Amino acid sequence: GAGVSQSPSNKVTEKGKDVELRCDPISGHTALYWYRQRLGQGLEFLIYFQGNSAPDKSGLPSDRFSAERTGESVSTLTIQRTQQEDSAVYLCASSLGGLDKRGQETQYFGPGTRLLVL
Amino acid sequence: AQKITQTQPGMFVQEKEAVTLDCTYDTSDPSYGLFWYKQPSSGEMIFLIYQGSYDQQNATEGRYSLNFQKARKSANLVISASQLGDSAMYFCAMREGPMYGGATNKLIFGTGTLLAVQP
């Protein structure tokens, strides 16, 4: 499809295990973002990539969280030693990295990965 | 301090009527952008409308319009002729700083308003 895709759709894991979440942005989008949405809450910014570099990692909640992006395409968010408070929906978004036809930096979101840590 | 405030946790509106969802923001940066997203129960985030801080006119996209009052730092979303399919969570978000040359284009989100359209 033409939109942002994420995998897996759902992930259930045990406390202490590591998880990897994947994001495939829209082709040609140089900017990629990860957000977290806890139940009943708004979205919290985690990290921003421009190309393969991450100029803003300010939202990563702890050193258990890391992310990388390769080939200016796919990104992986890794959570090590998961805790119950990591349970949330993890949303990825991408944007052109420049003005789109509407003249603004519109972020397009994927369907999210629902993570449940038991 | 909250950067984006949505004071209405939930709202009802009758089908075919107009509804206004409130959003106020706080920033000292002269350059910023304001966004509204819709999140149905399926969970995807759907972009609705954008307003730049230097835009002279209020943004409109079909049945959606943004009532931008810069001095009051408000960016309310108006949905005209509500439809049953408009029932969803609505999030207001802000990008601080210029689109170019800024360190980040991250969005700061409010807590959302749950809109229920009644037949």
Side-chain angles (χ1 to χ4, degrees), chain A residues 87-99:
Chain A
S87 296
V89 177
Y90 290 81
L91 290 149
C92 175
S94 70
S95 67
L96 273 173
L99 287 175

Side-chain angles (χ1 to χ4, degrees), chain B residues 18-21 36 49 62-67 76-80:
Chain B
V19 63
T20 298
L21 306 183
W36 278 91
I49 196 166
R63 294 187 298 114
Y64 304 109
S65 60
L66 203 152
N67 184 2
N76 298 341
L77 176 70
V78 181
I79 306 174
S80 62

Side-chain angles (χ1 to χ4, degrees), chain A residues 7-8 11 19-23 34 75-79 90 113:
Chain A
S7 61
K11 177 73 176 178
V19 295
E20 281 191 355
L21 312 180
R22 177 186 168 108
C23 172
W34 284 98
S75 176
T76 303
L77 177 69
T78 301
I79 309 173
Y90 290 81
T113 293

Side-chain angles (χ1 to χ4, degrees), chain B residues 11-19 79 82 115-119:
Chain B
M11 289 192 70
F12 288 102
V13 65
Q14 289 296 124
E15 194 177 7
K16 299 179 186 175
E17 297 200 343
V19 63
I79 306 174
S82 297
L115 178 67
V117 180
Q118 296 178 314

Side-chain angles (χ1 to χ4, degrees), chain A residues 20-82:
Chain A
E20 281 191 355
L21 312 180
R22 177 186 168 108
C23 172
D24 282 274
I26 293 171
S27 178
H29 280 195
T30 62
L32 186 148
Y33 313 79
W34 284 98
Y35 294 87
R36 177 172 71 177
Q37 185 177 27
R38 290 197 165 113
L39 188 64
Q41 302 293 315
L43 278 68
E44 305 170 74
F45 167 78
L46 297 178
I47 187 169
Y48 156 60
F49 287 92
Q50 182 59 47
N52 294 333
S53 302
D56 189 351
K57 308 178 185 179
S58 63
L60 294 178
S62 76
D63 59 7
R64 295 186 297 104
F65 288 71
S66 62
E68 65 174 16
R69 188 180 185 196
T70 56
E72 297 197 355
S73 180
V74 172
S75 176
T76 303
L77 177 69
T78 301
I79 309 173
Q80 295 178 309
R81 305 181 302 281
T82 52

